[in-house]
Amino acid sequence: NNVAVWGIDLVDESLLASVGIPNAPPVTDVPLTCRSALYFNCMQSGVMGGKDWLANVRDQPNVVYARLLVKEGDEVISAEDGLPTWLGQIMCDGATPQEAVAAVAKYERMVTPDIIPPGGEVPLRCKLPIDFEQEDMAFLSTATPEAQAHRLSLLRDRVVVFISAGYAGKKFIFDRAKQHGLMSIVIDNPGSWSEKLEAEGIIKKFIPIDLNADRNEVVKAIVDAVQKLPREGLPPSGVMTFWETAVPLAARVAEGLGCVTNTPKAIDAAKNKHETRRLMGLAGLPTPKNSLIEGKDQLDEAAAAVGFPAVLKPINGLLSIGVVRVNDAEGLKSKYAEVDAVMEDTFLTKDGAMGKISESGGVLPKGAQPLKCQMMLEEYLDGIEVDCDVVMSKGNAVYSKVTDNWPTMEPWFNETGDNAPSLLPTDQVEQLETMCVDTLKCLGFSTGVFHVEAKYTSRGPRLIEVNSRMGGGQVRDNNVAVWGIDLVDESLLASVGIPNAPPVTDVPLTCRSALY
């Protein structure tokens, strides 16, 4: 270190002093370089495996050396069991002390010691998103362009596991992740369109797993697969999804691996519209009258509880499939039979496309997911429908913006268009944002990006539904164009625990409208 940083060899000075020659080392006025070193202390007792787990950092920029200090078969001890073993060392140079320290910290995140613990299983080491002791947390949580650039820079060399890629139109998400230097691992059904992204260099690895098997078995299969990633030099920092039907699965996998996530309980409550309304009622939030329908024999009871006009809808559907207005008891019975038949016949393919069993030889295709579920009846809401895109960090909303939806094509509520920013009065927009954020909090959400659908009615704001992920369609593009905020970026940051603090503009950058 003294030779490299100050140009002084202490061996030479020692030899000179030993024979009485005066010491007068010619010290430089400024350091020749800056240097930092990291020792890997053993965190898990066991026996060293045979992998050179420092190989992938030796040729990286700034690295002076990366040395293994133990060999295959050596017994190693963690601090829990005694004096911890030093496993290896990385040394890096930089133009400044900060650059040298940052280089060491970066490469430390890229490696996982190859330790075989008692029992033979390699434990997953979920990487912390950043070394918080190295960061100015006040700056990191600041809503400025400079702080945002720094937050996004922390994504580089991170590994994030994506549960399901959705349909091919979601490719832009993985393109964006690659732009940030993030390494994407996609777990999806065998034959998914996203498999080719590995060969194209857009994602780091594709892992085929049948996501439509029993949920507990799928979670175990995914966790087992992710447990092997550190052996490949790919220790994950987070688990996430942008695909609606995979949100509950992703939350369970993330929880099982100790990654940042909202609780499965909160996710399930949002997926079930009837449960969402129950929890809102308990929290004192305004909610439409509603009634769960578990079979056609409950239609009269539901009609008496809700009244007409009303809306019949699946409790956890998607894309407004099966959502229909009914004006009287006879209409409810006929539409229930119609919707029940549609839901019974409809499935989602492994690539996110819709299909019908009746058009597939009467058989549910392999890898497809049926949409059949319970339904509910709730009162019809008048007024203006909106979308509210929300970003939460550490339990607080750090971003919320409203987009107006144009009147839908009833009775099936097909979308017709939208505009951003909202044309509603400021006080109504603020009421909608408050109601949406309060709903997320009452469901138990604390982190991530959400797409909340609501209406401003003659009685004030009312919820339609909560989507526990970034909205689809042009939602991402609208927020980038109008407010300068990329919800893909915010989703990625949240997935690895980096604070969200999007630098929102005071006035819209543009105004945007779309027609369907």
Side-chain angles (χ1 to χ4, degrees):
N1 280 359
N2 281 271
V3 171
V5 178
W6 301 110
I8 303 302
D9 192 324
L10 298 182
V11 171
D12 292 348
E13 299 305 319
S14 299
L15 294 173
L16 291 171
S18 72
V19 296
I21 298 173
N23 294 92
V27 187
T28 64
D29 293 331
V30 295
L32 303 175
T33 188
C34 298
R35 179 161 285 188
S36 179
L38 169 74
Y39 290 92
F40 287 87
N41 283 271
C42 182
M43 303 298 290
Q44 165 73 52
S45 295
V47 176
M48 292 304 299
K51 180 182 176 182
D52 182 357
W53 49 275
L54 289 175
N56 66 329
V57 302
R58 283 201 182 91
D59 296 327
Q60 297 288 338
N62 302 93
V63 174
V64 178
Y65 61 72
R67 298 172 178 170
L68 297 174
L69 301 180
V70 288
K71 63 183 185 299
E72 182 179 2
D74 285 352
E75 182 179 356
V76 294
I77 300 173
S78 71
E80 293 181 356
D81 299 320
L83 180 66
T85 307
W86 277 347
L87 306 178
Q89 182 187 23
I90 295 176
M91 179 175 285
C92 293
D93 281 353
T96 64
Q98 293 83 355
E99 182 179 313
V101 170
V104 165
K106 169 184 174 180
Y107 298 134
E108 186 272 338
R109 297 193 298 262
M110 292 175 59
V111 300
T112 299
D114 184 24
I115 301 174
I116 303 173
E121 291 188 4
V122 178
L124 174 70
R125 183 185 179 196
C126 275
K127 291 289 188 177
L128 291 174
I130 51 175
D131 181 352
F132 286 103
E133 293 182 359
Q134 300 277 346
E135 294 292 334
D136 180 343
M137 292 306 297
F139 172 71
L140 197 64
S141 301
T142 303
T144 64
E146 295 77 15
Q148 181 75 349
H150 181 60
R151 286 189 288 270
L152 293 173
S153 75
L154 296 174
L155 293 174
R156 181 163 296 279
D157 300 319
R158 292 286 158 192
V159 176
V160 171
V161 177
F162 293 84
I163 309 300
S164 180
Y167 59 90
K170 300 286 186 182
K171 177 177 175 290
F172 70 91
I173 293 169
F174 303 104
D175 289 332
R176 184 64 174 174
K178 182 175 174 59
Q179 288 174 16
H180 290 307
L182 186 145
M183 293 181 280
S184 301
I185 309 294
V186 174
I187 297 178
D188 210 336
N189 290 297
S192 164
W193 69 272
S194 58
E195 187 170 0
K196 66 181 181 181
L197 298 181
E198 180 179 351
E200 295 173 1
I202 297 172
I203 65 174
K204 189 69 175 178
K205 185 180 181 68
F206 176 85
I207 301 175
I209 292 178
D210 181 3
L211 301 185
N212 296 322
D214 174 78
R215 178 185 282 174
N216 291 333
E217 293 179 3
V218 174
V219 171
K220 183 179 185 304
I222 294 175
V223 170
D224 288 346
V226 175
Q227 292 275 14
K228 299 174 183 177
L229 292 175
R231 280 274 183 112
E232 302 174 34
L234 297 171
S237 291
V239 175
M240 68 176 305
T241 188
F242 285 85
W243 187 233
E244 176 64 25
T245 60
V247 173
L249 178 59
R252 285 165 171 80
V253 171
E255 184 178 63
L257 294 171
C259 296
V260 175
T261 183
N262 291 297
T263 65
K265 184 176 181 181
I267 299 291
D268 292 347
K271 285 287 290 181
N272 185 324
K273 297 178 179 65
H274 186 259
E275 178 66 4
T276 298
R277 283 146 180 74
R278 186 185 74 83
L279 293 175
M280 290 180 68
L282 292 176
L285 297 174
T287 185
K289 290 184 293 184
N290 62 89
S291 181
L292 183 65
I293 301 174
E294 299 181 279
K296 62 182 180 180
D297 57 331
Q298 294 182 327
L299 293 178
D300 290 339
E301 178 183 345
V306 175
F308 296 102
V311 178
L312 180 67
K313 61 174 64 175
I315 63 169
N316 59 357
L318 72 162
L319 300 176
S320 297
I321 297 173
V323 181
V324 60
R325 173 174 171 161
V326 292
N327 296 317
D328 52 41
E330 287 304 313
L332 172 60
K333 293 175 181 178
S334 65
K335 289 300 182 185
Y336 178 84
E338 187 177 345
V339 170
D340 188 58
V342 168
M343 299 298 290
E344 185 79 43
D345 190 41
T346 305
F347 61 82
L348 197 66
T349 71
K350 63 179 182 295
D351 284 334
M354 293 292 174
K356 292 185 177 298
I357 296 176
S358 59
E359 298 173 358
S360 304
V363 179
L364 184 70
K366 184 177 180 180
Q369 181 178 353
L371 292 189
K372 174 74 172 178
C373 65
Q374 291 179 329
M375 285 186 275
M376 63 181 288
L377 188 72
E378 72 175 15
E379 65 176 306
Y380 176 83
L381 298 175
D382 63 3
I384 305 298
E385 184 173 339
V386 303
D387 295 333
C388 185
D389 296 300
V390 180
V391 179
M392 294 192 72
S393 187
K394 298 181 179 179
N396 296 310
V398 293
Y399 177 83
S400 58
K401 291 297 178 184
V402 169
T403 296
D404 296 337
N405 290 330
W406 296 358
T408 55
M409 294 287 289
E410 296 185 6
W412 294 103
F413 298 97
N414 283 25
E415 297 179 5
T416 60
D418 60 39
N419 59 265
S422 174
L423 295 173
L424 291 172
T426 300
D427 66 320
Q428 294 184 9
V429 170
E430 291 175 351
Q431 291 176 50
L432 284 161
E433 291 176 350
T434 298
M435 187 270 294
C436 291
V437 171
D438 286 346
T439 297
L440 294 173
K441 290 181 178 180
C442 91
L443 295 177
F445 289 109
S446 61
T447 185
V449 176
F450 304 87
H451 185 69
V452 186
E453 300 174 26
K455 270 190 170 184
Y456 196 90
T457 74
S458 56
R459 293 176 292 163
R462 294 292 187 273
L463 180 80
I464 296 176
E465 67 179 27
V466 171
N467 299 286
S468 312
R469 40 81 189 167
M470 183 184 78
Q474 70 270 23
V475 167
R476 183 255 189 158
D477 292 344
N478 280 356
N479 281 270
V480 171
V482 178
W483 301 110
I485 302 304
D486 192 326
L487 297 181
V488 172
D489 291 352
E490 299 306 322
S491 299
L492 295 174
L493 292 171
S495 76
V496 297
I498 296 173
N500 295 92
V504 189
T505 63
D506 293 330
V507 295
L509 302 175
T510 188
C511 299
R512 178 163 285 192
S513 182
L515 172 71
Y516 294 99

